[in-house]
């Protein structure tokens, strides 16, 4: 069984937000909900300054605190490492929101409009049908599990074949994102972690994230 | 294992789920995309994976533009104003009218102008649809007789002007980048290439990112450490408008301290050996008029192309034709001596030691003398480049600055060779089955100078509107254009059609007409031009103004009629990739993709390309024939089997089909492209690295500009047109700009704009996805102020401030404090600050920078007419302003 993971090269990221917006379209996310975000800030003092572009998403941790705290078992970790939320089991207690040290979870308290006060557009309406959500539950990045699962069924390789690879990875115009099997030493992600010393954010949290970063 | 509860609503019937290949329309790069459509609704945008240009990815503003297809704020019907009073913030009182009424009214106004003097028509176009504009509106303007009045954007405000001219002159191309697959050392002078800005954006983002990861050193000379600066290996903050001093000092270090240059390149690819006399002109052979060079072996002057030349002399002093003369290269070396790093440091604020170090690193990185073998061909290997674009182009010294920067590439021989600076695409053998479109540079037989290439060549589309680069066009009397462009041979877009002193300039130039009808295609001049007092004056003095637009934008406050245009997702544009600057750089495959409708135009929206022939026919049936005639010429159809029969009528689809088949053969008409998207074919080494394939030279000494300056003055001065003619010089100098001459200590900051990756033009802000990303970014909607400076002024993050220019113009915004900005500079992102209530997502976001700008002959580059887009200001808290 593979263990899916991601590597993001911060040297390459230009903060164009394609990952964030592509993710929103892939999952028909309601206005104001982001499974991918890009944090932008700067580091250093004038004139020795660098801009930091930091794309963040659910880390699909091996020791996921959200899984530990979920009282109903709605949040669970699959054998392939993808941390999922079962909306039918989620009671909206939001314990996981507090527990996630990376603040990657969002409570859906309603469906905001793209154009406030102007009603839902045909895009938003068809989105509700194609990709239903349940009000009062918690949502987060699912590593595009549909693409991964459907892709594997078709004999495709996630991370190598576009159709089986998360939307944010294929969207990146700077090709800063990589997806693959962390347990396969020959995978691109394993190689980058090894050779470019990619590391997770805040390893001290001890949750063993599956998303690694190549430093700026 | 938890189930994935993401399955769709089972009651939903999927009648259709398809991907439509097309091109993005959010900037002029036209990246190939595909749009997923479910039951007729577009639901996702991705890069088209079949295209080498963007390799399946597209930037955030492309993805986020999906909403244009379903935005409830779109204009859906033709409207006319009921309130005769026009002005900023004044409601026109729009009333819906029929297409017939709208077109008949417009046709009547246009007919009057067409019969009286067609030069009274002022067409403005939206630069993000530059190609569509060129191939659709271009022929209309040609047929009508107003092509010289057509301009994209705000007359050079967003245009490269000087940068385009120099790119044509030196690289035979429209734009400049580096060969990022091989480059190891890249200097950006005010150029955001690689950050979804500028030409070839899709490929450039990937190429630059991969080069960075590979270890290419990137030096960003920029007042702001945001996009290029923020990612660069080294950010060098600089005072706006002073880049020429740095480039000239670097040349001095290279040529006079390090004393290293590419000897072969200078001698055989440039006019470096050409002998120049005391009158600044070449010394020429009396019978052939060819410039003379000195043969160091025989010790005598010969024409530059004499096959017996043993060795070109590029240093020393000689005598030929009885005058003392010096090789151009020697003149350049002598010329830059006065630009010491210390002098440049005083002007630019960049430390002298840094300038000196960067110059040495640059020439060392160029590995002069080395070669590389690519696909079996051994080529000079010069992995260093200096590139520039809008940042340095937005000043009154634009031409001299662009030239100074590009000399850096020429002295190290890093132009269109592996690793070096690169124009694109300059040479193409065409699609293998048809050999079209084919284009390549040639040499002028008298002076040996390069002519041709893509944009600047004789080829039809787009390029047909331009003239061959060499010999450089002669200035002529300026009365045929509102922008007076014919007087200024380097001009692409002129601001004189809307400058504050336009009436005075028109009067002096002897223009026997004034703008009577303004035909606007998506341009938003009130936001992208100069201060609003001026724009209001220009637009209200034009008797009849109408627009094609997708929104009731700020420009429409001045319109009499607005026609609901189709958005790019509803448009067919067959030649999106003809322009070259949206073709692939380097050895990546050629690719060509069309833009096609993802959805049919809803409501009463209509595609501009379908309206124009209708409008032409309503004006005069003969005009429609002239339109077809112009298309035959500009699309290169004339004389071939796909030429339009002037007595027939064609749908836009039929015309597109003919244009495509003309280039790509009977098998590759419109239907093929609709179905397959991208047509790709491999690129050959000789197409990319052409510099030593073609025996043509480029100027390191611009003798032509001496003559040009003389000829411009001969026309201008008797008419009372006075400008800073000193800038017409053969070797570049640093000239201070108006911003550098403001003496009052109260105005202690330079205000500039920079290109934010999320925004192009003024429409991106109305897209909710892009807007939400912009709000997440700490800089996009805020004015960047240096943190230490702000603290001294008692300002903190999020404060609302007034920005007031030395001329008393004011704009307001909120601030974001940053270390990554020059202490003497504040910076605004893009063109923001919408006030149209018809664009509610964009409304009130960001600050309107352009309202601070002056526009008159003292604020334009006298050579290229690029206009000054920085301004000296003071800032203070909003509550401190009595009128605030």
């Amino acid at each position: 069984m593979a263990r899916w993971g991601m590597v993001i090269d911060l040297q390459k990221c230009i903060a164009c937000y394609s990952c964030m917006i592509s993710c929103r379209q892939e999952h028909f996310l309601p206005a104001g909900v982001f499974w991918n975000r890009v944090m932008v800030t700067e580091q250093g003092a004038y004139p020795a300054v660098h801009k930091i572009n930091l794309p963040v998403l659910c880390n699909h941790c091996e020791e996921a605190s959200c899984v530990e705290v979920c009282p109903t078992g709605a949040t669970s970790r699959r054998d392939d490492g993808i941390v999922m939320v079962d909306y039918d089991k989620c009671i909206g207690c939001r314990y996981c929101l507090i527990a996630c040290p990376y603040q990657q979870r969002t409570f859906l308290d309603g469906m905001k409009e793209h154009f406030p006060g102007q009603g839902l557009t045909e895009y938003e309406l068809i989105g509700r049908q194609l990709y239903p959500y349940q009000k009062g539950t918690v949502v987060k990045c699912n590593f595009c599990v549909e693409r991964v699962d459907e892709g594997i069924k078709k004999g495709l390789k996630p991370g190598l074949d576009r159709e089986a690879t998360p939307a944010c990875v294929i969207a990146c115009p700077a090709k800063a994102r990589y997806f693959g099997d962390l347990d396969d030493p020959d995978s691109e992600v394993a190689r980058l972690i090894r050779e470019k010393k990619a590391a997770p954010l805040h390893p001290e949290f001890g949750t063993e994230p599956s998303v690694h970063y190549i430093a700026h | 294992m938890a189930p994935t509860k993401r399955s769709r609503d089972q009651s939903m019937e999927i009648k259709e789920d398809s991907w439509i290949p097309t091109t993005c329309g959010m900037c002029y790069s036209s990246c190939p995309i595909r749009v997923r459509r479910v039951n007729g609704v577009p639901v996702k945008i991705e890069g088209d994976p079949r295209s080498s240009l963007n390799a399946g990815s597209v930037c955030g503003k492309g993805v986020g533009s999906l909403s244009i297809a379903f935005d409830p704020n779109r204009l859906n019907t033709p409207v006319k104003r009921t309130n005769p009073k026009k002005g900023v913030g004044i409601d026109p009182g729009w009333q819906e009218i029929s297409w017939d009424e709208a077109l008949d009214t417009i046709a009547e106004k246009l007919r009057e102008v067409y019969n009286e003097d067609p030069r009274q028509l002022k067409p403005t176009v939206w630069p993000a649809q530059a190609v569509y504009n060129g191939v659709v509106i271009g022929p209309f303007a040609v047929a009508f007789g107003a092509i010289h009045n057509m301009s994209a954007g705000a007359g050079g405000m967003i245009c490269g002007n000087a940068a385009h001219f120099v790119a044509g002159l030196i690289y035979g191309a429209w734009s400049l980048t580096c060969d990022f697959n091989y480059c190891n050392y890249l200097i950006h002078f005010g150029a955001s290439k690689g950050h979804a800005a500028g030409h070839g954006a899709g490929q450039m983002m990937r190429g630059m990112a991969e080069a960075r990861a590979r270890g290419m050193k990137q030096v960003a000379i920029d007042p702001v450490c945001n996009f290029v600066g923020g990612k660069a290996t080294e950010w060098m903050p600089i005072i706006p408008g002073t880049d020429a001093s740095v480039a000239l000092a670097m040349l001095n270090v290279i040529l006079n301290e390090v004393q290293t240059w590419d000897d072969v390149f200078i001698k055989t690819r440039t006019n470096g050996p050409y002998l120049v006399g005391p009158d600044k002109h070449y010394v020429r052979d009396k019978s052939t008029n060819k410039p003379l060079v000195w043969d160091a072996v025989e010790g005598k002057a010969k024409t530059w192309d004499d096959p017996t030349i043993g060795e070109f002399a590029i240093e020393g002093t000689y005598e030929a034709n009885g005058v003392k003369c010096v090789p151009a290269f020697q003149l350049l070396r002598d010329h830059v001596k006065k630009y010491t790093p210390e002098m440049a440091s005083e002007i630019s604020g960049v430390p002298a030691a840094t300038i000196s170090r960067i110059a040495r690193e640059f020439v060392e990185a160029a590995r002069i003398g080395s070669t590389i073998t690519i696909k079996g061909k051994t080529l000079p290997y010069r992995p260093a480049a200096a590139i520039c674009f809008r940042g340095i182009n937005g000043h009154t010294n634009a031409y001299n600055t662009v030239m100074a920067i590009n000399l850096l590439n020429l002295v190290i021989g890093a132009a269109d060779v592996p690793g070096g600076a690169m124009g694109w695409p300059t040479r193409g053998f065409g699609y293998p089955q048809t050999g079209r479109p084919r284009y390549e540079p040639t040499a002028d037989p008298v002076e040996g100078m390069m002519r041709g290439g893509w944009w600047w060549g004789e080829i039809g589309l787009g390029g047909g509107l331009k003239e061959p680069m060499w010999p450089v066009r002669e200035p002529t009397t300026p009365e045929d254009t509102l922008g007076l462009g014919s007087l200024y041979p380097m001009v692409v877009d002129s601001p004189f059609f809307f400058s504050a002193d336009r009436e005075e300039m028109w009067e002096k130039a002897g223009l026997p007409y004034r703008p009577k009808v303004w035909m606007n295609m998506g341009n938003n001049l009130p936001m992208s031009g100069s201060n609003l007092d001026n724009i209001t004056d220009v637009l209200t003095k034009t008797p009849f103004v109408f627009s094609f637009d997708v929104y009731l934008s700020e420009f429409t406050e001045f319109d009499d009629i607005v026609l609901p245009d189709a958005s790019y997702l509803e448009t067919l544009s067959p030649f999106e990739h003809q322009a070259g600057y949206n073709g692939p750089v380097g050895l990546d495959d050629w690719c060509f993709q069309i833009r096609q409708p993802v959805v049919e135009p809803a409501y009463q929206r209509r595609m501009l390309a379908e309206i124009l022939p209708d409008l032409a026919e309503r004006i005069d049936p003969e005009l429609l024939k002239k339109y077809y005639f112009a298309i035959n010429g500009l699309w290169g159809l004339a004389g071939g089997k796909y030429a339009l029969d002037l007595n027939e009528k064609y749908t836009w689809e039929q015309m597109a089909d003919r244009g495509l088949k003309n280039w790509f053969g009977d098998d590759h008409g419109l239907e093929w492209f609709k179905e397959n998207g991208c047509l790709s074919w491999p690129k050959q080494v000789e197409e990319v690295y052409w510099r030593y394939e073609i025996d043509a030279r480029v100027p390191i000494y611009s003798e032509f500009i001496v003559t040009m300056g003389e000829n411009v003055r001969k026309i201008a001065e008797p008419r009372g047109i006075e400008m800073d003619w000193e800038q017409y010089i053969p070797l570049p100098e640093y000239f201070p700009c108006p911003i550098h001459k403001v003496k009052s200590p109260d105005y202690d900051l330079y205000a500039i704009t920079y290109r934010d990756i999320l925004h192009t033009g003024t429409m991106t802000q109305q897209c909710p996805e892009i807007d939400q990303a912009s709000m997440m970014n700490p800089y996009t909607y805020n004015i960047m102020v240096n943190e230490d400076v702000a603290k001294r002024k008692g300002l903190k993050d999020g404060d609302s401030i007034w920005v007031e220019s030395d001329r008393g113009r004011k704009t307001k915004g909120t601030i974001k404090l940053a270390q990554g900005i020059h202490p003497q500079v504040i910076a605004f992102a893009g063109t923001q600050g919408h006030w149209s209530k018809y664009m509610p997502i964009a409304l009130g976001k960001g600050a309107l920078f352009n309202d601070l700008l002056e526009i008159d002959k003292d604020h334009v580059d006298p050579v290229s007419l690029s206009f000054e887009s920085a301004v000296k200001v003071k800032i203070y808290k909003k509550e401190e302003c009595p009128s605030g």
Side-chain angles (χ1 to χ4, degrees):
Chain A
M1 176 61 78
R3 184 164 63 97
W4 300 118
M6 196 178 285
V7 172
I8 301 176
D9 188 341
L10 299 184
Q11 267 189 312
K12 287 184 167 184
C13 174
I14 51 175
C16 80
Y17 296 88
S18 185
C19 49
M20 181 175 105
I21 302 173
S22 299
C23 168
R24 289 179 40 70
Q25 285 179 6
E26 180 77 18
H27 303 104
F28 295 92
L29 291 175
V33 180
F34 304 91
W35 288 2
N36 258 289
R37 282 173 294 161
V38 183
M39 325 271 281
V40 173
T41 187
E42 61 176 15
Q43 197 173 49
Y46 181 89
V49 190
H50 272 295
K51 193 179 167 199
I52 306 294
N53 304 327
L54 186 66
V56 292
L57 67 163
C58 171
N59 282 294
H60 297 274
C61 306
E62 262 192 278
E63 304 292 333
S65 38
C66 54
V67 174
E68 279 175 37
V69 302
C70 180
T72 67
T75 291
S76 62
R77 187 169 175 276
R78 304 199 324 177
D79 293 344
D80 62 1
I82 299 180
V83 175
M84 297 293 300
V85 183
D86 183 340
Y87 302 154
D88 288 343
K89 290 185 186 168
C90 178
I91 54 170
C93 75
R94 285 168 270 182
Y95 198 170
C96 56
L97 252 84
I98 301 161
C100 173
Y102 297 98
Q103 300 179 25
Q104 287 302 325
R105 295 181 152 242
T106 310
F107 179 66
L108 263 191
D109 54 358
M111 298 292 165
K112 287 184 188 153
E113 296 159 344
H114 270 76
F115 296 92
Q118 295 188 285
L120 292 171
T121 59
E122 55 178 357
Y123 164 76
E124 289 160 285
L125 290 172
I126 203 169
R128 296 288 70 79
Q129 290 185 294
L130 287 166
Y131 209 93
Y133 290 99
Q134 294 178 29
K135 190 182 169 183
T137 60
V138 168
V139 295
K140 67 160 196 79
C141 154
N142 62 7
F143 257 4
C144 283
V145 70
E146 306 86 354
R147 296 175 74 100
V148 172
D149 287 352
E150 288 300 312
I152 289 171
K153 271 189 217 161
K154 290 181 190 166
L156 303 174
K157 278 205 159 68
L160 293 177
D161 294 306
R162 183 180 172 93
E163 226 181 295
T165 301
C168 59
V169 176
I170 62 163
C172 179
K175 307 294 180 200
R177 300 170 89 109
Y178 304 84
F179 188 76
D181 181 2
L182 297 171
D183 284 345
D184 173 4
D186 295 330
S187 71
E188 182 80 348
V189 285
R191 187 188 64 77
L192 289 167
I193 291 170
R194 208 165 50 233
E195 290 175 10
K196 295 230 172 183
K197 300 194 174 28
L201 296 176
H202 292 292
E204 72 278 10
F205 291 161
T207 59
E208 300 297 322
S210 299
V211 178
H212 297 246
Y213 294 85
I214 298 168
H216 180 85
Chain B
M1 193 193 297
T4 68
K5 293 282 181 181
R6 240 69 49 220
S7 55
R8 67 175 169 83
D9 179 353
Q10 294 304 318
S11 65
M12 180 191 187
E13 190 195 345
I14 304 278
K15 298 181 200 118
E16 179 222 15
D17 189 345
S18 55
W19 288 94
I20 293 95
T22 183
T23 68
C24 180
M26 295 314 279
C27 83
Y28 34 68
S29 294
S30 298
C31 289
I33 57 170
R34 56 178 197 162
V35 183
R36 184 183 170 201
R37 194 178 62 196
V38 179
N39 292 357
V41 181
V43 297
K44 191 168 195 263
I45 291 178
E46 289 182 3
D48 192 327
R50 291 170 294 195
S51 164
S52 64
L53 193 65
N54 50 332
S57 307
V58 67
C59 73
K61 62 179 170 283
V63 183
S65 66
L66 184 71
S67 59
I68 291 173
F70 48 79
D71 186 341
N73 303 290
R74 287 273 304 277
L75 177 63
N76 296 328
T77 57
V79 290
K80 72 173 180 189
R81 69 165 50 240
T82 55
N83 180 2
K85 190 166 167 51
K86 296 179 178 181
V88 172
I90 299 173
D91 191 340
W94 295 120
Q95 184 188 321
E96 291 184 6
I97 53 170
S98 69
W99 268 103
D100 271 337
E101 182 185 344
L103 290 181
D104 282 342
T105 310
I106 292 166
E108 193 185 321
K109 300 284 181 187
L110 283 172
R111 193 182 308 115
E112 202 179 298
V113 166
Y114 181 61
N115 291 332
E116 207 173 78
D117 187 341
R119 296 173 299 181
Q120 297 173 111
L121 173 65
K122 170 64 198 166
T124 40
V125 298
W126 177 38
Q129 298 226 83
V131 181
Y132 185 54
N133 291 331
V135 300
V136 177
I137 304 163
F140 181 85
V142 167
F144 196 89
I147 185 65
H148 296 300
N149 280 341
M150 183 164 135
S151 59
M157 176 63 197
I158 59 104
C159 173
N161 265 352
H164 292 315
F165 179 85
V166 175
L169 191 71
I170 294 178
Y171 309 94
W174 183 247
S175 195
L176 173 68
T177 184
C178 77
D179 183 24
F180 34 70
N181 290 330
Y182 294 99
C183 186
N184 292 332
Y185 197 100
L186 176 63
I187 306 177
H188 294 251
F189 285 90
S192 289
K193 297 222 155 74
H195 294 264
H199 309 109
Q203 193 197 17
M204 220 71 75
M205 285 182 278
R206 182 175 82 255
M208 294 284 188
E210 279 167 2
R212 265 199 308 279
R214 174 173 58 78
M216 176 181 79
K217 178 164 181 175
Q218 237 177 330
V219 178
I221 301 181
D222 201 310
V224 182
C225 179
N226 198 337
F227 290 97
V228 167
K231 298 303 292 185
T233 328
E234 190 168 349
W235 171 52
M236 284 168 55
I238 186 170
I239 291 172
T242 64
D243 302 65
S245 70
V246 174
L248 290 163
M250 286 176 65
L251 283 165
N252 183 21
V253 172
I254 292 167
L255 297 179
N256 294 312
E257 291 182 26
V258 183
Q259 299 192 31
T260 300
W261 53 83
D262 188 331
D263 212 49
V264 177
F265 190 92
I266 300 283
K267 286 175 177 170
T268 67
R269 303 293 112 185
T270 76
N271 64 355
Y274 290 16
L275 295 170
V276 178
D279 61 355
K280 297 183 183 168
H281 287 282
Y282 296 141
V283 178
R284 293 171 185 268
D285 176 61
K286 282 176 182 156
S287 61
T288 61
N289 205 35
K290 287 179 178 177
L292 294 174
V293 296
W294 192 262
D295 183 352
V297 175
E298 282 189 45
K300 63 185 266 199
K302 297 177 178 177
T303 59
W304 64 271
D305 57 348
D306 190 321
T308 67
I309 294 168
E311 183 69 48
F312 290 101
I314 57 170
E315 294 173 85
T317 304
Y318 305 94
E319 195 174 308
N321 284 4
V323 294
K324 197 178 141 196
C325 48
V326 182
F329 179 71
Q330 178 71 53
L331 285 178
L332 174 65
R333 282 187 74 191
D334 296 343
H335 172 79
V336 295
K337 269 186 187 154
K338 67 183 181 218
Y339 288 95
T340 62
E342 291 71 24
M343 175 205 187
S345 177
E346 206 163 296
I347 293 167
S348 67
V350 181
T354 307
I355 296 171
S356 185
R357 173 176 54 83
I358 297 293
R360 288 165 197 272
E361 287 177 4
F362 180 71
V363 69
E364 194 176 320
R367 303 187 191 192
I368 293 167
S370 68
T371 58
I372 189 171
T373 302
I374 299 173
K375 289 190 175 177
K377 196 162 180 82
T378 300
L379 298 154
Y381 179 43
R382 300 287 176 276
I387 60 171
C388 58
F389 197 56
R390 249 300 295 170
I392 46 86
N393 207 73
H395 299 287
T396 57
N397 57 16
Y399 166 73
N400 273 278
T401 304
V402 177
M403 204 47 151
I405 292 164
N406 280 288
L407 285 176
L408 286 166
N409 297 323
L410 296 185
V411 298
I412 62 165
D416 307 294
V417 297
M422 182 166 275
W424 87 101
T426 306
R427 193 180 199 211
F429 300 152
Y431 178 59
Q433 271 74 58
T434 59
R436 288 189 207 177
R438 187 184 175 96
Y439 49 93
E440 61 184 324
T442 53
D444 167 72
V446 178
E447 297 194 6
M449 291 292 143
M450 181 184 69
R451 56 184 292 165
W454 186 245
W455 265 89
W456 298 105
E458 289 89 334
I459 181 159
L461 288 169
L465 300 175
K466 300 287 166 202
E467 309 189 25
M469 188 42 121
W470 198 271
V472 178
R473 180 169 66 79
E474 286 281 320
T476 55
T477 56
E479 65 276 358
D480 64 340
T481 155
L482 291 162
L484 314 182
S486 42
L487 179 58
Y488 303 90
M490 277 192 206
V491 169
V492 178
D493 266 340
S494 158
F496 282 132
F497 73 85
F498 76 104
S499 65
D501 56 357
R502 66 195 180 284
E503 189 56 54
E504 182 193 329
M505 293 296 279
W506 291 338
E507 190 69 35
K508 286 176 174 170
L511 258 71
Y513 57 92
R514 293 293 180 270
K516 207 166 178 179
V517 177
W518 196 303
M519 171 181 176
N520 180 43
M521 273 84 34
N523 178 303
N524 200 350
L525 194 64
M527 291 189 68
S528 61
S530 66
N531 67 78
L532 285 170
D533 292 341
N534 185 44
I535 298 295
T536 302
D537 189 55
V538 177
L539 291 174
T540 52
K541 279 187 178 150
T542 307
F544 185 78
V545 185
F546 74 100
S547 279
F548 300 82
D549 213 325
V550 294
Y551 293 106
L552 287 168
S553 72
E554 287 71 13
F555 188 103
T556 67
E557 292 183 341
F558 300 93
D559 274 319
D560 293 284
I561 287 177
V562 191
L563 302 170
D565 198 0
S567 73
Y568 88 85
L569 291 166
E570 303 153 314
T571 289
L572 170 66
S573 177
F575 294 115
E576 280 305 302
H577 290 163
Q578 64 80 24
Y581 55 65
N582 34 31
V585 183
L587 276 168
D588 288 13
D589 283 356
W590 292 108
C591 67
F592 191 96
Q593 185 142 333
I594 65 161
R595 177 176 298 165
Q596 65 171 319
V598 174
V599 285
E600 289 306 312
Y603 307 98
Q604 291 188 50
R605 299 168 193 159
R606 285 177 68 187
M607 212 191 305
L608 174 65
E610 286 179 345
I611 302 166
L612 285 181
D614 185 349
L615 189 60
E617 201 172 17
R618 284 173 200 248
I619 295 165
D620 185 339
E622 285 302 305
L623 183 59
L624 181 63
K625 290 180 184 176
K626 284 190 190 174
Y627 181 57
Y628 287 160
F629 182 80
I631 283 181
N632 280 341
L634 293 167
W635 292 19
L637 305 176
K641 68 173 175 173
Y642 299 108
L644 304 180
D645 181 338
L646 307 190
N647 295 311
E648 291 289 326
K649 279 191 189 165
Y650 300 91
T651 64
W652 176 231
E653 286 215 338
Q654 288 169 332
M655 290 157 72
D657 185 54
R658 284 171 172 255
L660 290 165
K661 284 177 176 165
N662 180 51
W663 268 9
F664 303 112
D666 286 343
D667 300 343
H668 295 96
L670 183 59
E671 288 310 312
W672 189 93
F673 280 96
K674 277 185 170 181
E675 182 66 28
N676 297 285
C678 196
L679 179 64
S680 296
W681 65 96
K683 215 184 268 176
Q684 298 183 34
V685 177
E686 294 81 4
E687 292 176 297
V688 184
Y689 305 117
W690 56 269
R691 186 64 70 170
Y692 284 89
E693 297 282 323
I694 290 165
D695 212 5
R697 293 167 184 265
V698 294
I700 57 164
Y701 177 91
S702 297
E703 194 243 11
F704 71 92
I705 205 174
V706 179
T707 315
M708 183 196 289
E710 289 164 358
N711 291 338
V712 172
R713 287 173 74 166
K714 265 184 221 160
I715 298 169
E717 285 183 341
R719 289 168 171 77
I721 299 173
E722 284 297 333
M723 293 181 80
D724 182 11
W725 308 123
E726 296 297 309
Q727 293 211 34
Y728 284 81
I729 42 171
L731 291 166
E733 299 267 18
Y734 163 70
F735 292 91
C737 307
I739 45 173
H740 305 122
K741 295 170 189 166
V742 175
K743 294 293 176 228
S744 167
D746 293 344
Y747 300 93
D748 55 342
L749 295 166
Y750 297 92
I752 62 163
T753 53
Y754 64 93
R755 171 71 73 81
D756 189 288
I757 202 161
L758 282 164
H759 295 286
T760 302
T762 66
M763 207 169 73
T764 38
Q765 289 132 55
Q766 176 58 23
C767 301
E769 299 280 14
I770 303 175
D771 176 57
Q772 288 173 30
S774 302
M775 287 195 280
M776 202 174 278
N777 187 298
Y779 307 107
T780 303
Y781 283 156
N782 294 309
I783 302 167
M784 281 175 82
V785 182
N786 181 281
E787 196 167 353
D788 303 332
V789 171
K791 282 181 179 157
R792 278 208 299 279
K793 290 177 184 287
L795 297 170
K796 59 180 191 312
D797 256 341
D799 275 353
S800 290
I801 61 161
W802 283 107
V803 179
E804 185 176 327
S805 80
D806 61 308
R807 300 284 185 97
R809 302 195 187 280
K810 292 198 309 187
T811 195
K812 62 189 172 206
T814 52
I815 58 171
K816 170 66 188 162
L817 309 192
Q819 289 291 324
I821 183 163
H822 195 289
Q824 294 181 47
V825 175
I826 64 168
F828 297 61
T831 313
Q832 304 174 347
H834 281 269
W835 63 87
S836 168
K837 65 179 179 185
Y838 300 102
M839 298 177 76
I841 300 295
L843 180 66
K845 304 278 171 61
L848 180 65
F849 172 80
N850 293 46
D851 199 16
L852 295 169
L853 296 177
E854 307 299 323
I855 179 66
D856 52 42
K857 73 176 173 60
D858 296 330
H859 289 82
V860 301
D861 173 13
V863 187
S864 71
L865 299 192
S866 294
F867 86 77
E868 183 62 49
S869 41
V871 61
K872 214 61 192 291
V873 298
K874 62 180 174 185
I875 60 173
Y876 45 90
K877 262 193 204 166
K878 224 171 123 191
E879 60 264 32
E880 285 169 18
C881 171
S883 59

